[in-house]
Every structure is written in C-alpha cells, then in structure tokens.
Amino acid sequence: MAFVHGKSAVFKLDNSSGSLVDYSSYLEDISFPRSIETAETTTFGSSAKSYITGLTDATVSLSGKFDATADGTLAGVIGQSATLSFEYGPAGSTGGLVKYTGECIMTSYEVSATVGDVVTATVELQVTGAITRTTW
C-alpha cells in the first residue's frame, strides 16, 4: 500500500467562461465528504432496524490564501445558474493517480481578514449529479 502526502493535491474549478482553473497554489485544505441516504424498511415484529440505500450526496469545502486573481474568478461564478465542472486529485495530477470529476454549484464564498494574519478565502460547493472516479 502506498500512502501519499497531501502537499501534492490538485483542485480545478470552472471559471465563468467554462474553462477549468487550477486553484491548487492558493489552497491549503480540501474536504470532499460524500454520503448516501438510507431509508428505513423496518416493519412491525422486527427486533432490529433494516435499511436500503438511497441517493448519494457530496460537497466540497476549500480553504486557503486570498489572491486577487483567484478572487476575480471565484466571485464571478457564485450564484451562477450553470453548474461548474471540477477536477480533484487528492494525490496530485501525475498520470495514473486518482482523479474525481463532477459538476457543482458554488453555495458560499467568504474572504476573511484578521489583524496580524494573512487574508484567507473559503469556498463551499454542492455537487450535483454523479461523481466520476478515474485517473489522470
């Protein structure tokens, strides 16, 4: 089993023209939780609950350093009705490494400034539709 360091992660997101932009050099944290709804199927007389699987769901949370150029493209897609394509490589973008792709909607974009620290930015994305797992 080969483990990888997070420093090589890659994240790309569409700009308002529909072209993928690599935000990796601004980011320091990417969170990609996925879940599956369950529906309870337990009936009278059962002594244990039973379930079936339902719909999948996923979000993407990004955080990192603020940059005026990145801000221009990110601020340009918040609230956009068209979905945004994304590509995420948790181990990097070298050929053969895992890549997740899909469509999403930006639900939040926040810029934070604190006296005595670097200005940061966070982005929240709601995945819409299926996620594809392939390789670079």
Side-chain angles (χ1 to χ4, degrees), residues 13-14 58 82-86 101-105 125-132:
L13 182 68
D14 273 351
T83 61
L84 306 168
S85 298
F86 71 89
T101 60
E103 296 292 311
C104 62
I105 299 165
L125 305 168
Q126 175 63 58
V127 175
T128 178
I131 297 166
T132 303

Side-chain angles (χ1 to χ4, degrees), residues 1 10 14 19 39 41 46 49 53-54 62 70-71 79 107 112 124 136:
M1 176 179 285
V10 172
D14 273 351
S19 300
T41 58
S46 298
K49 289 184 177 184
T53 59
L62 310 170
D71 176 69
T107 58
S112 300
E124 298 293 329
W136 293 95

Side-chain angles (χ1 to χ4, degrees), residues 55-99:
L55 302 172
T56 61
D57 192 18
T59 58
V60 180
S61 297
L62 310 170
S63 63
K65 308 299 184 210
F66 172 83
D67 175 82
T69 302
D71 176 69
T73 56
L74 292 170
V77 296
I78 190 164
Q80 176 176 302
S81 59
T83 61
L84 306 168
S85 298
F86 71 89
E87 292 182 347
Y88 172 42
S93 59
T94 303
L97 295 177
V98 172
K99 172 174 70 169

